[in-house]
């Protein structure tokens, strides 16, 4: 695949499972716009970041044609890595591929001098052996709880992964998109979700 061959152009370390490693990012940004609104915003974006807590189909293009969006993204303060889905019922090789894609795109952006905040996601306990690879320790990270608090089981899986993230990565700051469960600890900076900011139906997850 063309996208995989592009990996040769990125100067970054590789994890034991082959995931690109990202550098630590401590950019001080607390206001973010979804990638789906990036091209249409009329705001001053110098102090605004880009998030990808939206449906996958809306940002698949950053993987297929990453160079196409570089000029527009450079107008923003920073970008979170794409939040490609890791569903529990998705075959593990596909989950790992989505984690690879997230890390690859983040490494590509860093190679092109963008400030990149690592997004962390997981599915179930089986994903813990690889889903944190390539994400720097002692760095700020971004996570989303949207769609994970709908049932006792999905909330349990989210909290179990959150605890594992804290244990393995020990992040300095957690940019948290969506509702923050009372059980979550750490230096949490809560970001408003699409529903909270604009009300009504939203097009994210």
């Amino acid at each position: 695949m063309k996208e995989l061959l592009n990996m040769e152009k990125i100067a970054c370390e590789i994890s034991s499972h082959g995931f690109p490693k990202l550098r630590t990012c401590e950019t001080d940004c607390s206001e973010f716009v979804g990638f789906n609104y990036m091209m249409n915003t009329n705001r001053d974006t110098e102090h605004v970041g880009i998030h990808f807590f939206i449906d996958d189909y809306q940002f698949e293009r950053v993987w297929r044609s990453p160079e196409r969006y570089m000029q527009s993204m450079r107008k923003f303060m920073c970008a979170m890595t794409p939040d490609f889905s890791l569903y529990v019922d998705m075959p593990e090789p596909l989950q790992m591929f989505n984690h690879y894609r997230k890390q690859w795109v983040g490494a590509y952006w860093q190679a092109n001098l963008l400030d990149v905040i690592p997004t962390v996601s997981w599915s179930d306990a089986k994903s813990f052996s690889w889903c944190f690879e390539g994400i720097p320790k002692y760095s700020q990270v971004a996570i989303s709880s949207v769609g994970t608090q709908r049932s006792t089981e999905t909330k349990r899986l989210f909290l179990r992964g959150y605890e594992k993230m804290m244990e393995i990565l020990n992040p300095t700051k957690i940019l948290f998109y969506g509702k923050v469960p009372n059980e979550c600890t750490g230096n949490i900076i809560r970001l408003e979700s699409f529903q909270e900011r604009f009300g009504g139906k939203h097009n994210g997850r």
Side-chain angles (χ1 to χ4, degrees):
M1 292 178 65
K2 174 179 179 291
E3 297 91 340
L4 298 183
L5 293 176
N6 283 342
M7 191 64 223
E8 298 175 5
K9 302 178 181 179
I10 300 177
C12 68
E13 296 183 32
I14 303 298
S15 76
S16 60
H17 282 96
F19 299 114
K21 292 185 177 182
L22 300 180
R23 299 189 300 273
T24 299
C25 176
E26 293 302 335
T27 298
D28 188 16
C29 184
S30 60
E31 185 174 359
F32 292 83
V33 63
F35 175 77
N36 50 333
Y37 289 108
M38 179 188 75
M39 307 294 286
N40 299 320
T41 183
N42 295 318
R43 303 171 54 193
D44 177 9
T45 57
E46 184 179 354
H47 301 290
V48 177
I50 304 167
H51 77 75
F52 291 82
F53 296 129
I54 53 179
D55 291 316
D56 291 29
Y57 76 89
Q58 297 189 78
F59 58 84
E60 281 278 344
R61 44 192 163 155
V62 300
W63 160 253
R64 299 185 184 281
S65 302
E67 70 286 347
R68 180 179 177 183
Y69 302 96
M70 289 304 307
Q71 184 174 351
S72 296
M73 294 183 70
R74 286 195 177 100
K75 298 176 182 178
F76 290 79
M77 185 176 186
C78 61
M80 298 178 184
T81 50
D83 186 40
F84 291 110
S85 296
L86 302 183
Y87 296 122
V88 173
D89 58 355
M90 181 185 290
E92 189 173 24
L94 292 183
Q95 294 184 41
M96 296 180 75
F97 179 57
N98 276 351
H99 181 61
Y100 173 86
R101 293 199 293 169
K102 174 179 68 177
Q103 295 300 113
W104 187 95
V105 172
Y108 177 86
W109 289 341
Q110 286 189 338
N112 283 275
L113 306 181
L114 288 181
D115 285 330
V116 177
I117 299 173
T119 299
V120 186
S121 55
W122 52 86
S123 58
D124 54 20
K126 290 186 294 185
S127 71
F128 297 167
S129 64
W130 51 262
C131 70
F132 305 112
E133 282 197 18
I135 300 173
K137 296 181 179 181
Y138 315 113
S139 172
Q140 71 170 320
V141 298
I143 66 170
S144 171
S145 65
V146 175
T148 67
Q149 307 298 299
R150 296 173 181 169
S151 70
T152 300
E153 177 61 12
T154 57
K155 183 176 180 179
R156 184 188 69 82
L157 290 173
F158 177 81
L159 292 175
R160 189 175 182 187
Y162 188 92
E163 292 173 359
K164 198 67 176 178
M165 175 192 73
M166 297 297 290
E167 174 189 331
I168 293 176
L169 300 180
N170 196 9
T172 57
K173 181 166 60 177
I174 303 151
L175 301 177
F176 203 120
Y177 186 79
K179 181 180 178 180
V180 181
N182 294 331
E183 296 89 340
C184 292
T185 60
N187 180 21
I188 295 172
I189 307 297
R190 187 174 181 275
L191 308 177
E192 285 187 322
S193 67
F194 185 97
Q195 305 98 306
E196 295 168 321
R197 181 168 295 183
F198 298 105
K201 185 178 180 180
H202 92 115
N203 56 354
R205 283 173 287 176

